[in-house]
Amino acid sequence: MKWKEALSTMKPYKPGRSIEDVKEKYQLDEVVKLASNENPYGCSTHVVEFLTSSSLPFEIYPDGHATILREKLAEKHGVQEEAILFGNGSDEIISIICRALLDEDAHTVMPTPSFPQYAHNAKVEGAAITEIPLVDGQHNLDAHLAAIDERTQIMWVCNPNNPTGNLIAHKDLLRFLEEVPSDILVVLDEAYYEYVTDPLHVDSISLLERFPNILILRTFSKAYGLASFRIGYAVSSPNIITELNKIRNPFNTNTLAIAVASKALENDVFVEKCRALNEEQRKRFETYAENNRLHIYDSQTNFVLIEVPCDADAAAEFLLTNGYIVRSGNALGTPGYLRITIGTEEQNTGLFHAFDRLLNENR
């Protein structure tokens, strides 16, 4: 078979270790997964009650328009219903964007290290890629602008950024958007938007009228606690969404995902509670890092990127043997660091004890 040439330089996605696998390999009774930035508090009671009391017509194709969810999101964000695109997670929307705008003659600009699916999908389409290194965990927006050429089709901005957790200051983002040509799509990936507590942060959806070339990505996988249902969405100008809908598969989101996401939107109190608990525990990580003289990035997400006293793979393996699944920075482009999902108070206390043992073994 004549595969695309780009595939010869790529590798399939490698999932992290499962709780069951780690229990069996290390003979552990309890294992805490803090590697994938899931919500440790689960999901809204509205969702749980719906799943235990409702029946759905499983023999019927999903509502390809996601009508109920679309109406609720349009009202929540104050946008037209035609301004919303749904995907099987925001990952699928990223692939739709790349398929619609990129080819061998196109160019795209993105930060590094950041969410790897930007580069992955751009490579599949054969596009030229310029990766702009972060500066102290932050986007170098001036370098992004300098990289624009006549072939540039997409600018990727991960805000807050994964894996560093840094948030771009609103004034800096505004200046950047003002300088990007209006015929270039700027994707603002805001998967962790609901966790942001910075009082100066502004909802970027409010910028759509001023900058019709931006597209905002959001997801139900993080703060809403619906990662297993795989549903995300994009908000942009209706003309951009119309073009992307030409690429989207007719039934790309399933009936159950649409239903539970609609229920999740009915309980803002749950998300607000998760945000507050996450902020409280995030400060514990900052204090722990300061007390142990470890560098930690300024996170506005439900994870932290924290320095370790040895090779990141070795540190991750050590914590694994102690019952904590975390992500090695070696796999994220941040050697010498671990990305750790912020768990519950109990989970984090146990992690700190294990981290203490890691530090003692490497002194």
Side-chain angles (χ1 to χ4, degrees):
M1 297 182 183
K2 297 181 179 179
W3 302 104
K4 283 186 173 182
E5 184 178 344
L7 299 187
S8 64
T9 64
M10 301 172 68
K11 295 180 180 179
Y13 175 75
K14 184 178 180 181
R17 303 285 288 275
S18 69
I19 291 176
E20 293 74 18
D21 177 43
V22 173
K23 282 183 176 180
E24 181 178 353
K25 180 173 180 179
Y26 297 99
Q27 297 299 296
L28 297 169
D29 294 326
E30 294 294 331
V31 171
V32 177
K33 184 185 177 191
L34 299 173
S36 300
N37 306 335
E38 295 137 337
N39 189 338
Y41 306 104
C43 62
S44 164
T45 54
H46 287 53
V47 171
V48 176
E49 291 168 2
F50 171 78
L51 290 173
T52 56
S53 63
S54 300
S55 61
L56 296 169
F58 297 127
E59 74 283 4
I60 297 176
Y61 282 111
D63 172 8
H65 192 63
T67 304
I68 295 175
L69 181 56
R70 183 180 298 276
E71 290 173 352
K72 288 185 176 182
L73 276 175
E75 181 179 0
K76 177 181 178 66
H77 294 307
V79 298
Q80 299 177 52
E81 292 182 17
E82 295 76 15
I84 302 172
L85 174 75
F86 293 102
N88 186 358
S90 54
D91 305 62
E92 187 197 20
I93 301 177
I94 291 170
S95 68
I96 289 172
I97 292 168
C98 289
R99 190 177 179 192
L101 286 168
L102 300 180
D103 56 25
E104 292 83 355
D105 297 321
H107 170 239
T108 182
V109 181
M110 63 195 65
T112 186
S114 192
F115 190 49
Q117 290 304 305
Y118 313 146
H120 178 88
N121 284 282
K123 288 177 183 176
V124 171
E125 302 304 329
I129 300 169
T130 298
E131 294 183 290
I132 306 296
L134 302 176
V135 177
D136 297 326
Q138 189 62 270
H139 287 58
N140 184 347
L141 295 177
D142 288 336
H144 281 249
L145 292 169
I148 294 174
D149 62 26
E150 68 280 355
R151 302 173 302 152
T152 306
Q153 292 278 55
I154 308 171
M155 306 286 283
W156 301 92
V157 176
C158 190
N159 193 35
N161 186 57
N162 178 9
T164 58
N166 293 67
L167 181 70
I168 300 172
H170 182 63
K171 61 180 179 60
D172 295 333
L173 181 62
L174 273 183
R175 182 178 60 82
F176 171 75
L177 294 175
E178 287 169 350
E179 296 190 36
V180 175
S182 60
D183 60 348
I184 294 175
L185 181 67
V186 179
V187 179
L188 303 178
D189 186 349
E190 299 182 349
Y192 300 93
Y193 169 79
E194 288 81 10
Y195 286 111
V196 174
T197 57
D198 186 332
L200 298 179
H201 187 56
V202 176
D203 186 348
S204 58
I205 292 177
S206 66
L207 302 176
L208 275 168
E209 186 173 346
R210 182 176 174 186
F211 303 104
N213 62 319
I214 65 174
L215 179 146
I216 299 100
L217 288 176
R218 301 271 175 90
T219 183
F220 287 94
S221 295
K222 306 302 181 185
Y224 287 98
L226 302 179
S228 68
F229 292 98
R230 307 307 303 126
I231 185 158
Y233 63 98
V235 183
S236 188
S237 57
N239 63 312
I240 288 176
I241 296 299
T242 295
E243 294 304 309
L244 296 178
N245 263 320
K246 296 175 182 178
I247 303 293
R248 181 184 64 85
N249 288 325
F251 304 112
N252 64 325
T253 54
N254 66 78
T255 298
L256 194 54
I258 294 169
V260 297
S262 298
K263 285 297 176 183
L265 285 176
E266 296 175 1
N267 193 356
D268 288 339
V269 173
F270 172 76
V271 174
E272 291 166 2
K273 179 182 177 181
C274 290
R275 182 189 302 115
L277 289 170
N278 182 77
E279 173 70 0
E280 180 181 293
Q281 294 303 310
R282 189 163 59 200
K283 289 178 179 177
R284 290 185 69 197
F285 275 90
E286 293 169 358
T287 300
Y288 183 86
E290 182 179 357
N291 289 344
N292 289 281
R293 298 181 180 179
L294 300 170
H295 179 253
I296 189 171
Y297 284 89
D298 183 18
S299 174
Q300 284 285 309
T301 65
N302 70 332
F303 62 84
V304 295
L305 190 67
I306 186 170
E307 184 183 12
V308 288
C310 57
D311 175 74
D313 286 347
E317 181 68 18
F318 180 90
L319 292 179
L320 202 60
T321 63
N322 281 266
Y324 293 90
I325 306 174
V326 299
R327 195 74 189 274
S328 168
N330 290 350
L332 304 172
T334 56
Y337 288 79
L338 294 178
R339 191 190 69 187
I340 304 176
T341 302
I342 300 169
T344 64
E345 180 178 6
E346 180 182 5
Q347 290 171 340
N348 296 331
T349 297
L351 173 78
F352 293 147
H353 289 326
F355 215 113
D356 286 342
R357 292 191 288 274
L358 172 67
L359 294 176
N360 288 334
E361 286 205 4
N362 288 275
R363 281 177 176 161

